[in-house]
Each structure stands twice: as structure tokens, then as C-alpha cells.
Amino acid sequence: MAAKALDPSVLAVAGVRRLRPYQPGKPIEELQREYGLREAIKLASNENPGGPSPRALEAVRRAAVDVTRYPDGNGFGLKRALGAHLGVDASQITLGNGSNDVLELVARTFAAPGEEIVFSEHAFAVYPLAAQAIGAIGLAVKAREWGHDLEAMRAAVSEKTRVAFIANPNNPTGTWVGAAALRAFLDAVPETLIVVVDEAYFEYVEESDYPNCIAWLTEYANLVVTRTFSKAHGLAGLRVGYAVSSPQIADLLNRVRQPFNVNSLAQAAAIAALEDTGYVESSRAQNRDERLRLCRGFDELGLGYVPSVANFVAVDVARPAAAVYEALLRLGVIVRPVANYGMDRHLRITVGLPGENERALEALAAALRRG
Ligand SMILES: *Cc1c(COP(=O)(O)O)cnc(C)c1O
């Protein structure tokens, strides 16, 4: 029987119909396939260039024999380890399939269709997507010097605003907000506004005025802090992140999440990664040195960039960046175009290993000579 030519998109809810999916960095294999390249480097998704801790890999190997079983749906071991590591109670933690998962849980739990979610211009692309998917209204507040303008964000908050997302540091700009400004924001907004501070790059930041918002949870009942194992811990492929909040908020988020949202390999690897504090320290130190190498290289090329405290830098290529991105691809270097963040003259380059950063700078010089 021939099916009628119904366009199923008319059946989708309005928010989903207008949704444009998140654009991930190009996988290395895809570049090799499409461009016939034998080898390439990827500095496009802010992964730890050194990979995960060897202890995390060993934990994955050990956990693999049990994959016939469902994972622990409560994540008991990981929450206990995180609680001890962070100085919070396990009841304050919500585990996610990446912190992306918990960001969406917050949106779904606290914002109804037609209500508002506020974030900054040039902020992480998942915030507007999370708002739109549930029919909420995303408010993108004008940035200041590429970073969050918390005063303007505060002014944008009304009774209809349920959630604020603040990326600290922000992706793709690498900008950050200091303790005083963030406190002023938290003190000024109504306590009915859920404030999510997304600390995906927490482990990399060394600025003395950079706040650890988990320490503020006792003061602000409306505060949610998210972190991830995808970046400094080098476990992006396993998908594990978490939120820390009051036990009441964690209870709500846990009602919404899928029962087995974090797989058993990820749980085991995350526990081992937390124990290997030396690995994170050396990753942080290497990132600091290599970020400096990239920035010096940009200086030598006469290119501006947004000062970054994270493991990536948004460099201003002073012309439409799409052509430079393409030229870099042909040279086997994958970086991230950020035109979808309202930055069409910038490219976001993840801090890689020393040789990768040198190669990226050489390729950038060659691409600019041509263009
Ligand atoms: C990478 C990133 C995340 C989360 O990534 P997950 O892999 O889902 O944990 C969250 N926020 C920001 C700002 C990021 O850059």
C-alpha cells in the first residue's frame, strides 16, 4: 500500500520544527575521507590533547567485562567519589550523559513553553538549543568584549525568566567572569531564577579571582553548577558530566533524567580520573604553556584574539573565516568555525600538543598567505 505523501515535519512541535542541530567539530576520519588526506590533526572540540589518564583507561578495561549488566542507575560510586572530591553530599549531585544532558534537564525541569531562558550572545550553542527544543524563549543578551555582560543579563530578567545559563569560562570565546561580578548577579536576581554556572573548563582556569561556585551553594538555593569529564579529564567519548546543586534541585533533576543515562564504562573511568589529580595538574600546566605558544604565534602573524583562560583560543583572522577554515582543512588541520556564534571572522582553535600547535600555526600562516 502506497503511503500518502505526508510531510511529518508538520507534526513536530513548533520548537523542534525550527531547531537547527548542534554542529560538532569535523571528525578526523571524515576529513581524511573527504579530502583524501593520510593524516590530519583535530583542534576543534576542546578535547584534552594528551587523552585520558592511563588509570581511567585501565578502569574502562576492567569494567568492560560487566557490560552485560545495566549500569548503576544511581551512580552510587561516582557520586560518592565526586562528593568526597568536591566537599558536597552525594545527594547534591545529578549525573548526566555529558554535562550537555544536565543542561537540558535543567531547562526541561524549570522552563515551560513560552517562559524564558537567558544567556549571553556568543555563549555556548547548547543554551539556545535547549530552550528552543522545549518551546521556551531564549534571550540572548548582548556581550561586552566578547564576554558575558552580567549587568545586562540581570536587566533582561523578568518574571517570565526561569533559567539563566552562564558559561564560566565561556565557549567559544574563552572569556570568564570574576567572583565579584558573579556574586553581584546572584545577589540581584530573584531567587526564583535558576542560575546555572557551566564550569566545563574549571580545571584549566588559574586566575586567582575565578570563582569555584560549588563553594557558594550553601548561600544560593537557586544555584546549579555543572562540570564535565569531557575536557580536562579527557573522557569526551564516554559522555559523563554532572550538576551540583541543593539536594532539592538534584531530586527534581533526577526525576526527569533517564534511569540509566550514564553508562558503566563512563562511571568507572570517571572515578579513576578523579583519583588521578596529578594528570589534571600536568594537563593544566601544559595547556598554559601551549596556549601561550598559540597566542605568540597569532601575535607574530599580526592576528588579534580573545584573551582565553580555557583550552582554546578564538583568533580573529581579519577576513571571512570560512575560507581560512577550508584552507586549513586542505592542509589537514581541523579547527572550529564559529559563525554560528555570531563570530564570522574568528576561528576557535583548541590548544593541542606542542607539535600540533606548531603545525596549526604554520598552516594558518600558509592559509593567510593564499587568502
Ligand atoms: C564542552 C562543553 C560542555 C559539555 O560538554 P559535555 O561533553 O556534554 O560534558 C558544556 N559547556 C560548555 C561551555 C562546553 O564547552
Side-chain angles (χ1 to χ4, degrees):
M1 194 170 71
K4 284 235 188 70
L6 170 74
D7 175 2
S9 69
V10 304
L11 305 176
V13 296
V16 172
R17 236 178 297 155
R18 285 195 306 269
L19 211 53
R20 282 201 272 141
Y22 180 82
Q23 297 168 8
K26 195 184 225 7
I28 288 184
E29 293 73 19
E30 187 180 303
L31 176 73
Q32 290 170 328
R33 252 192 338 265
E34 289 177 358
Y35 289 69
L37 290 168
R38 225 156 327 124
E39 48 80 60
I41 60 170
K42 181 183 174 196
L43 301 174
S45 298
N46 303 343
E47 295 136 340
N48 185 330
S53 152
R55 283 159 71 170
L57 283 183
E58 181 51 34
V60 169
R61 259 180 233 117
R62 276 199 309 270
V65 296
D66 269 333
V67 290
T68 194
R69 306 274 173 215
Y70 277 96
D72 175 0
N74 288 318
F76 179 82
L78 177 52
K79 282 193 201 169
R80 187 178 53 185
L82 277 170
H85 183 78
L86 303 168
V88 299
D89 194 78
S91 65
Q92 295 179 257
I93 298 168
T94 309
L95 299 181
N97 194 256
S99 57
N100 204 324
D101 189 20
V102 286
L103 296 172
E104 286 184 21
L105 291 178
V106 172
R108 283 165 58 202
T109 302
F110 293 102
E115 292 181 327
E116 294 169 354
I117 295 181
V118 66
F119 42 81
S120 175
E121 179 191 24
H122 316 305
F124 190 38
V126 163
Y127 310 149
L129 291 179
Q132 209 185 328
I134 57 167
I137 298 161
L139 297 179
V141 173
K142 196 127 194 62
R144 197 163 53 189
E145 289 168 25
W146 305 109
H148 289 65
D149 182 343
L150 290 181
E151 277 175 33
M153 284 182 71
R154 183 177 97 193
V157 171
S158 72
E159 298 99 84
K160 280 177 66 186
T161 319
R162 315 304 333 168
V163 178
F165 284 119
I166 298 171
N168 199 30
N170 183 46
N171 169 16
T173 58
T175 52
W176 60 291
V177 294
L182 196 47
R183 256 194 193 285
F185 178 86
L186 284 161
D187 287 335
V189 295
E191 57 186 8
T192 50
L193 179 78
I194 298 290
V195 179
V196 180
V197 182
D198 177 348
E199 297 182 344
Y201 302 93
F202 177 84
E203 294 83 356
Y204 284 116
V205 186
E206 300 183 290
E207 267 56 25
S208 60
D209 186 36
Y210 174 71
N212 167 2
C213 285
I214 289 178
W216 296 357
L217 286 169
T218 49
E219 294 169 71
Y220 301 102
N222 54 335
L223 177 61
V224 178
V225 182
T226 61
R227 294 196 191 160
T228 181
F229 287 91
S230 297
K231 306 288 160 60
H233 289 291
L235 296 172
L238 284 175
R239 315 302 305 128
V240 51
Y242 56 95
V244 191
S245 64
S246 68
Q248 291 84 354
I249 288 180
D251 173 54
L252 292 165
L253 299 178
N254 274 298
R255 294 183 206 179
V256 180
R257 73 173 175 85
Q258 287 180 30
F260 302 106
N261 62 336
V262 182
N263 72 74
S264 48
L265 303 184
Q267 291 187 35
I271 293 169
L274 268 186
E275 287 166 0
D276 198 349
T277 51
Y279 191 80
V280 175
E281 272 165 38
S282 60
S283 296
R284 178 188 305 124
Q286 169 160 300
N287 182 67
R288 176 207 312 138
D289 296 345
E290 290 303 312
R291 189 175 60 212
L292 201 59
R293 181 199 303 271
L294 276 181
C295 291
R296 286 212 189 100
F298 300 149
D299 288 337
E300 281 166 23
L301 292 170
L303 300 177
Y305 50 87
V306 186
S308 169
V309 296
N311 68 335
F312 53 85
V313 184
V315 59
D316 181 350
V317 295
R319 70 205 73 188
V324 181
Y325 168 68
E326 277 295 327
L328 289 174
L329 285 182
R330 256 174 247 121
L331 295 166
V333 177
I334 311 172
V335 299
R336 190 66 155 268
V338 284
N340 59 327
Y341 289 89
M343 301 174 75
D344 58 6
R345 290 180 164 251
H346 285 80
L347 291 172
R348 193 194 68 194
I349 304 185
T350 301
V351 177
L353 299 171
E356 294 177 324
N357 298 327
E358 274 175 13
R359 178 169 165 187
L361 287 169
E362 281 164 22
L364 188 56
L368 293 173
R369 271 199 302 274
R370 274 178 223 173

